[in-house]
Amino acid sequence: MTIKSILIEPEVKRHAFLLINGKDSVLIDPGAKYHAEILIPEIEKNIEIKNLKYIILQSNDYLNITSIELLVKAGFDGSIICNETSFRFIEDALKHKVTCISDLDNELHIEGINLAFITAPFLPYHEGFVTYDLDHYVIFSGHLFSQDKEIDGDTLEMMVNRFHEHTLPSIEFVRSAIKKLRKYRIKAIYPRLGRKIELAEINDLVIDVMKYDFYNTTQVVERVNAKNVTYNYEMICNHMLKKLTSVYHRSDVLNVFADSKIMLTLAPDIEIDASELSSYKLYNYFFEHIFEKKGVTWLVILEPIVKKYKQLYKIKRPVIYTTDAYKQQSKIVKLNETTSELTEQVKALQLEINETTDKMLRDETTELYNERFMKEYLYQELEKDISPAHVHVLALFHIDNLLSINKKYGTPQGDETLRSLAYDLNNHKFERSMLFKQSGPGIFAFIPNIKLDDVQQNLLTCRNSIQESDIFVEPVTVSLSVALSNEIDSRFDTRTRVSSLIELTLKRMELAKSLGKSQIIDYTSSERDYIDGTVLLVDEDETYQNMMVKIFERINYKVMITSDIYEAYEKLKNEPIDMIISEINLSKLDGFQFKHMINQTKDYKDIPFIIVSHHKNLEVVTRANLLDIDMILQKPIIPEELLGLINRMRQWKNRL
């Protein structure tokens, strides 16, 4: 048997797979209609389409089904193999021969081609499956092990994990599918997006993927009613236990809870078996007990996950996180007062706290405080009084040719270049200013309480001094973006002001990059001068919000993010909005109710409105049509589909 990998969408490396054995042939995941202009000629280079015996649809999404109609017109007269949901759609819509995998006992045997179908539910569709070649030990894995676009030399593991987190509901479904696949001998994996994964890569990749932790699932919410939301706190605590067992030995975790009100089970993973506590009391006790047994170190490891649940689901942080600094200090004082015998324990505890905190808050390459620490620092600084005619300044410095230096001399020299930039900035920084390493390739400088008239000239002098420095491996140019505290609405709370200040700096840096090298973009540049439009996004999913921002950055659109329709309506009244994209399911009123509210207005009813949802069905389409909604898109969003739609709307608007 021969495997022909057909690249049907080069930009995202989307493939269809043609299996050929003499006259018999099978096509896996043919793609959408717009892929057919590449797909059909490539098939015809190898076989006549009329001799194609089967088409296998591993998932029932739009990008995997709509090409069938064109393949039939081109001569395909074989049978379609799919899951039950696709079976109903194809039978009703296309009136074509179709067989459900369950009717085949999950196997297909024709001359020289022997395949098994392994269910992989919710990856990302609830009836998805992968295909295994029983003779050649090859997996056609669909979305599992698919890869995101490579960014600055990403490893295979990084691209796979990023794709999984953006597209799939939870690591638990990935682990479940991988456990099934481990029963099979596998020599190669052909994912739907990305490159073929060779035998030598599989073991390390599987280990890395199984360890990578993400939860995009809605199982966190057990029940929603008019008064409140009920959360599955036991499941959330199980997520925390998985994180702890990825860092510490299982026996350490078990020992912590050995004498607690929480009983754990051991198989297959450490999870809560029973407890006399429930709801938020369980959640709060879980962290208090960890603090009592292990101190602040274990809580620091869990804090990012706690914050994520707070951001995604509005779940209150455990009380211990609001009082841990005070409790740590009081604990140390009590230990000192109680007995001199515990002095060494106090020192060890303090050292552990300092080392853990420093490691978390500093960048390894430059030894500057990182962006996470910067946010906490800015929360404090923006609360302080400021002199009249003075401002706080946040500046971001990027070496324009850093990527070129990395490629030319290697990563170690690139790291040295960043250290040199930090050194130069330290020598020229303003009084009371602080430097921070950006999560990306730049360095932030925060300058508090400076006269507005002094900002531009001082930053220009600093930038020019760096460009004239001879400590770099080769001459460098530096781009600079600047944002001022007085550009941010003072009515916002402090955290929102900090986020807005950082966001404005990053946005101006993107403009600087688009304009060329050695640019300075500051408060004298009007935002409207360098964006093509503004999108109002109404969605509670943080991962989806971040993805949409990245999508619209490609076409120079600004995204205003809100998580409920009341906040969105206020944005609509105060900001020029060119398009609205809303999730249907929101905690308060839903997306349809938002469109109904807008339709009652004269000023906003004609703004293009797009609904997005994981569930696109006849009822959703009917309601959308009644409300004059312009488009319904099914999650996960296909960036190219959305960008194409935006482009067509923009062209239509320009013709008016």
Side-chain angles (χ1 to χ4, degrees), residues 542-576:
E542 183 186 36
T543 302
Y544 175 71
Q545 292 172 355
N546 293 336
M547 183 188 76
M548 294 296 281
V549 169
K550 291 176 182 177
I551 289 173
F552 281 103
E553 280 177 350
R554 298 188 201 173
I555 56 172
N556 220 26
Y557 265 63
K558 174 184 177 183
V559 180
M560 304 196 73
I561 296 174
T562 60
S563 52
D564 64 67
I565 71 172
Y566 299 112
E567 182 185 358
Y569 195 73
E570 287 302 311
K571 294 280 188 188
L572 202 57
K573 291 192 294 185
N574 297 312
E575 303 284 348

Side-chain angles (χ1 to χ4, degrees), residues 224-444:
V224 179
N225 58 40
K227 293 184 178 179
N228 56 39
V229 179
T230 303
Y231 299 104
N232 187 342
Y233 286 104
E234 184 175 312
M235 192 214 77
I236 299 170
C237 290
N238 286 337
H239 184 190
M240 305 296 172
L241 288 168
K242 286 182 175 64
K243 179 62 178 178
L244 290 175
T245 52
S246 72
V247 178
Y248 301 106
H249 196 275
R250 285 163 60 99
S251 61
D252 293 336
V253 179
L254 291 170
N255 287 337
V256 167
F257 291 93
D259 58 349
S260 74
K261 297 177 183 179
I262 297 174
M263 289 174 283
L264 303 180
T265 182
L266 303 180
D269 301 305
I270 293 180
E271 292 184 344
I272 295 175
D273 185 38
S275 175
E276 62 189 73
L277 303 171
S278 61
S279 302
Y280 185 72
K281 289 183 179 179
L282 170 66
Y283 191 50
N284 215 29
Y285 173 81
F286 180 88
F287 290 91
E288 286 182 351
H289 187 75
I290 288 174
F291 179 78
E292 180 183 338
K293 294 293 183 180
K294 288 293 182 181
V296 73
T297 308
W298 285 35
L299 294 184
V300 166
I301 290 169
L302 297 177
E303 188 175 8
I305 308 177
V306 171
K307 286 184 176 180
K308 188 171 183 179
Y309 277 112
K310 185 176 186 297
Q311 291 166 351
L312 291 178
Y313 304 105
K314 309 297 185 286
I315 295 174
K316 287 194 304 181
R317 291 198 304 168
V319 174
I320 194 69
Y321 281 103
T322 65
T323 61
D324 55 354
Y326 166 78
K327 286 192 174 184
Q328 277 299 317
Q329 294 303 316
S330 63
K331 182 176 181 179
I332 292 172
V333 170
K334 287 176 183 177
L335 286 171
N336 276 322
E337 292 175 349
T338 304
T339 173
S340 59
E341 192 178 15
L342 294 176
T343 301
E344 290 304 314
Q345 183 179 344
V346 174
K347 289 180 179 178
L349 177 61
Q350 186 65 65
L351 181 62
E352 186 178 355
I353 293 169
N354 292 341
E355 287 179 351
T356 302
T357 302
D358 203 56
K359 189 173 181 180
M360 288 186 62
L361 300 181
R362 285 192 185 273
D363 169 63
E364 283 187 21
T365 301
T366 62
E367 297 186 356
L368 296 175
Y369 283 112
N370 60 24
E371 196 169 329
R372 177 184 176 185
F373 179 86
M374 180 183 77
K375 291 177 183 177
E376 298 296 332
Y377 183 81
L378 294 185
Y379 296 150
Q380 303 298 322
E381 289 298 311
L382 264 62
E383 286 285 347
K384 296 177 181 177
D385 292 334
I386 193 168
S387 306
H390 284 59
V391 292
H392 296 310
V393 177
L394 184 63
L396 177 59
F397 295 81
H398 269 210
I399 293 179
D400 297 318
N401 48 329
L402 180 61
L403 183 59
S404 170
I405 290 172
N406 269 311
K407 289 181 177 178
K408 189 174 179 180
Y409 302 101
T411 304
Q413 191 59 60
D415 290 344
E416 183 59 34
T417 302
L418 281 173
R419 283 190 286 271
S420 298
L421 175 61
Y423 175 81
D424 255 9
L425 285 172
N426 263 316
N427 285 342
H428 297 95
K429 68 180 185 179
F430 303 94
E431 184 181 356
R432 294 181 296 109
S433 65
M434 283 281 288
L435 300 179
F436 307 91
K437 176 64 176 65
Q438 184 198 4
S439 298
I443 293 177
F444 282 105

